């Protein structure tokens, strides 16, 4: 598989955006073919690929090396690694096998740079990238001293050596930059404030681009930074959620043993629960997505058990607003966002949630069974079609079949806003 052929699938605007990220100058006037040649000329050099590939994590490098020899089947635990390698322009998934392949031009240059010095550098930078990935998801803004606490869990460099590596890393890989506190007028904050740093702050660039800096600081308030273990960083970066958490182990076991899901499906739904909680969405969104995917509960008892596990998982999900803490770890403090309200998306979900609503309310979980439903007038024929029609009002939810008979969901038909 050739990188040049892969780039031909991009639009010119997409190529120009990539050229800017590589700091390639004077490209806007080039035709698409010439632009691809310019990008290839810049990208496929030993200097550029060494700076980028030294930032690969241990798992990404392992997959990359194997794919240099032959296309690789991807397990569910390798999906994120494969996607990152694609994002870095080091390879792609071939059609129609979906196996991961390394671009031939990249593989050729890699053989030239793959020496002992490169491998040593890659081990250090690969771990630092994982620390930055945890930072991006669960801090967003942090003193360099906090990043160093993560880094030295596994590598015993000095903080200055770590900072030098951060400056060397391509911005499109770490998506973050170092700023002095003076840049934001907070240099006079108390030295015991968790955000205070004499060396500077690492900030996820989209937070600045989206003007979320002050909002995020207000959400995080004076909460201390959660310092994870090596295992937590490893599993969150490789799988996407904290699979070793007891709450998520119970949830995974429930999916496999009680709902007869294959392991891959169980992991996918655990990741969905984590993402749902991380984004502060209603837990009912998970139930609605399961309904959309034709995942059904066999009984009210099973539904009750799942809701309890779902809420336990929610309370054990790490959040950026809490500087990496989960809600259970901050019990007794006012949490950013509060407890989400459960709002059903279908009549089926509403019926099942109605049965467990008292239990949820006792747990302090608000339930709104009607707020997501429309009340429409419809006709029933209790004595058959030849009998007299009776007009009634009916609750209909977004994911219910549309009463017009189109076969579509209500939200995509007559209920479209």
């Amino acid at each position: 598989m050739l990188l040049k052929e892969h780039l031909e699938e991009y639009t010119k605007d997409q190529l120009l955006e990539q050229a800017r990220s590589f700091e390639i100058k004077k490209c806007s006037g080039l035709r698409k073919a010439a632009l691809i040649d310019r990008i290839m000329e810049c990208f496929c050099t030993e200097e550029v690929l060494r700076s980028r590939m030294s930032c690969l994590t241990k798992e990404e490098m392992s997959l990359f090396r194997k794919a240099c020899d032959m296309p690789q089947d991807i397990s569910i635990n390798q999906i994120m690694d494969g996607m990152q390698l694609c994002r870095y322009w080091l390879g792609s998934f071939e059609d129609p096998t979906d196996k991961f392949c390394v671009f031939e031009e990249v593989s050729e240059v890699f053989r030239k740079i793959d020496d002992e010095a490169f491998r040593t550098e890659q081990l250090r930078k690969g771990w630092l990238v994982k620390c930055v990935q945890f930072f991006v998801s669960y801090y967003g803004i942090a003193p360099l001293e906090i990043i160093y606490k993560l880094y030295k869990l596994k590598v015993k460099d000095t903080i200055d050596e770590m900072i030098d590596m951060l400056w060397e890393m391509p911005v499109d890989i770490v998506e973050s930059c170092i700023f002095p506190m003076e840049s934001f007028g907070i240099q006079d904050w108390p030295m015991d404030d968790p955000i205070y740093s004499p060396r500077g702050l690492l900030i996820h660039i989209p937070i600045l681009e989206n003007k979320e800096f002050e909002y995020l600081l207000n959400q995080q308030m004076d909460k201390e930074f959660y310092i994870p273990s090596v295992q937590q960083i490893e599993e969150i970066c490789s799988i996407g959620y904290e699979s070793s958490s007891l709450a998520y182990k119970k949830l995974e076991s429930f999916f496999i043993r009680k709902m007869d899901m294959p392991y891959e499906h169980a992991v996918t739904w655990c990741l969905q629960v984590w993402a749902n909680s991380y984004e502060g969405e209603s837990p009912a969104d998970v139930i609605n997505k399961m309904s959309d995917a034709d995942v059904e509960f066999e009984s009210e008892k099973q539904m009750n058990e799942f809701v309890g596990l779902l809420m336990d998982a929610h309370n054990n999900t790490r959040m950026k607003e809490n500087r990496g803490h989960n809600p259970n770890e901050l019990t007794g403090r006012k949490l950013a966002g509060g407890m989400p309200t459960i709002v059903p998306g279908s009549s089926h979900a509403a019926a099942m949630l109605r049965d467990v609503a008292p239990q949820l309310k006792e747990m302090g979980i608000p339930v709104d069974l009607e707020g997501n439903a429309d009340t429409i007038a419809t006709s029933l024929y209790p004595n058959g079609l030849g009998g007299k029609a009776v007009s009634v009002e009916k609750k209909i939810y977004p994911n219910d079949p549309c009463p017009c008979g189109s076969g579509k969901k209500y939200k995509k038909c007559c209920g479209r806003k």
Side-chain angles (χ1 to χ4, degrees):
M1 182 179 289
L2 295 174
L3 173 59
K4 187 170 184 178
E5 293 177 355
H6 177 73
L7 296 185
E8 290 171 356
E9 300 175 7
Y10 284 66
T11 65
K12 184 179 177 181
D13 286 343
Q14 289 172 327
L15 291 170
L16 285 171
E17 184 176 346
Q18 287 294 332
R20 284 191 289 271
S21 72
F22 298 148
E23 298 184 359
I24 303 174
K25 309 296 183 182
K26 300 179 181 179
C27 290
S28 57
L30 296 177
R31 292 182 179 274
K32 182 177 176 179
L35 178 57
I36 290 175
D37 289 339
R38 177 72 65 83
I39 291 174
M40 291 286 296
E41 180 184 351
C42 169
F43 185 80
C44 294
T45 64
E46 292 184 30
E47 180 183 2
V48 170
L49 282 179
R50 186 181 187 109
S51 72
R52 299 179 69 76
M53 296 189 66
S54 63
C55 296
L56 296 185
T57 67
K58 178 180 66 176
E59 293 79 11
E60 291 164 359
M61 179 55 74
S62 176
L63 175 58
F64 177 86
R65 288 184 184 279
K66 292 176 182 176
C68 280
D69 296 330
M70 66 178 65
Q72 295 293 304
D73 288 316
I74 300 293
S75 71
I76 188 168
N77 292 335
Q78 293 177 306
I79 289 175
M80 294 181 71
D81 299 324
M83 291 177 66
Q84 285 292 77
L85 293 174
C86 291
R87 189 171 76 84
Y88 298 159
W89 281 17
L90 301 178
S92 185
F93 293 96
E94 68 177 2
D95 187 38
T97 65
D98 277 339
K99 292 185 177 183
F100 178 77
C101 300
V102 170
F103 296 127
E104 294 177 24
E105 302 95 328
V106 172
S107 179
E108 182 179 347
V109 177
F110 174 66
R111 294 189 189 98
K112 299 176 183 178
I113 65 174
D114 187 25
D115 54 23
E116 185 175 346
F118 168 81
R119 296 183 184 200
T120 300
E121 181 184 9
Q122 183 263 317
L123 287 175
R124 295 163 68 226
K125 285 188 176 178
W127 171 245
L128 181 54
V129 164
K130 285 188 178 181
C131 296
V132 171
Q133 288 173 352
F134 185 90
F135 150 82
V136 165
S137 296
Y138 300 102
Y139 301 158
I141 307 165
L144 288 170
E145 292 81 357
I146 294 295
I147 307 302
Y148 183 60
K149 284 187 178 182
L150 306 185
Y151 180 68
K152 72 177 183 179
L153 289 171
K154 197 168 183 180
V155 180
K156 303 307 178 184
D157 288 340
T158 67
I159 188 171
D160 290 327
E161 289 172 322
M162 183 204 74
I163 292 172
D164 288 343
M165 280 195 292
L166 277 172
W167 281 115
E168 292 172 2
M169 291 180 173
V171 174
D172 68 301
I173 288 181
V174 295
E175 297 181 314
S176 305
C177 197
I178 299 170
F179 295 88
M181 293 185 70
E182 290 84 351
S183 298
F184 305 95
I186 58 176
Q187 67 274 12
D188 295 327
W189 280 24
M191 294 181 65
D192 60 353
D193 191 285
I195 203 69
Y196 183 85
S197 171
R199 294 178 180 270
L201 303 176
L202 188 65
I203 301 178
H204 188 210
I205 292 174
I207 289 174
L208 298 178
E209 293 176 340
N210 299 330
K211 300 180 180 179
E212 296 175 349
F213 181 83
E214 290 186 10
Y215 169 80
L216 183 57
L217 281 187
N218 287 333
Q219 292 290 299
Q220 295 175 335
M221 297 182 290
D222 60 343
K223 297 166 187 160
E224 296 293 334
F225 286 90
Y226 178 78
I227 305 300
S229 66
V230 170
Q231 178 188 355
Q232 288 172 316
I233 294 175
E234 296 274 15
E235 67 187 1
I236 287 175
C237 290
S238 63
I239 303 175
Y241 70 99
E242 194 175 345
S243 58
S244 65
S245 161
L246 180 59
Y248 277 89
K249 287 172 71 174
K250 287 181 177 179
L251 187 63
E252 179 187 300
S253 178
F254 173 83
F255 284 137
I256 294 173
R257 297 184 180 183
K258 300 292 182 71
M259 301 195 72
D260 296 322
M261 287 186 183
Y263 168 75
E264 291 79 7
H265 290 183
V267 169
T268 299
W269 282 112
C270 284
L271 181 57
Q272 179 64 65
V273 171
W274 181 278
N276 178 271
S277 301
Y278 176 83
E279 296 293 341
E281 297 177 358
S282 166
D285 289 341
V286 174
I287 297 173
N288 294 331
K289 284 172 179 156
M290 293 175 75
S291 178
D292 289 346
D294 296 323
V295 177
E296 296 184 355
F297 299 96
E298 63 182 25
S299 66
E300 179 183 326
K301 180 180 178 182
Q302 191 181 68
M303 174 70 168
N304 287 349
E305 184 178 357
F306 172 70
V307 170
L309 292 171
L310 177 63
M311 299 313 303
D312 191 28
H314 169 84
N315 288 326
N316 283 278
T317 300
R318 305 201 174 280
M319 300 177 182
K320 184 184 296 182
E321 291 81 1
N322 296 332
R323 286 191 172 136
H325 289 279
N326 63 49
N328 273 349
E329 292 167 343
L330 296 179
T331 300
R333 296 189 55 163
K334 184 179 179 182
L335 304 183
M339 183 65 73
T341 299
I342 297 184
V343 183
S346 68
S347 297
H348 177 67
M352 302 192 83
L353 286 169
R354 187 171 287 109
D355 292 330
V356 296
Q359 173 191 347
L360 294 175
K361 289 178 180 178
E362 286 181 8
M363 296 167 61
I365 304 166
V367 181
D368 182 359
L369 295 172
E370 308 294 341
N372 203 28
D374 289 340
T375 302
I376 64 171
T378 186
S379 298
L380 297 179
Y381 295 86
N383 299 315
L385 293 177
K388 185 177 180 181
V390 178
S391 296
V392 296
E393 289 188 338
K394 179 182 178 182
K395 294 284 185 183
I396 185 163
Y397 292 80
N399 291 322
D400 288 342
C402 190
C404 75
S406 66
K408 299 180 181 179
K409 292 182 180 180
Y410 177 65
K411 68 183 179 183
K412 294 187 177 181
C413 192
C414 297
R416 184 176 295 171
K417 302 298 183 184

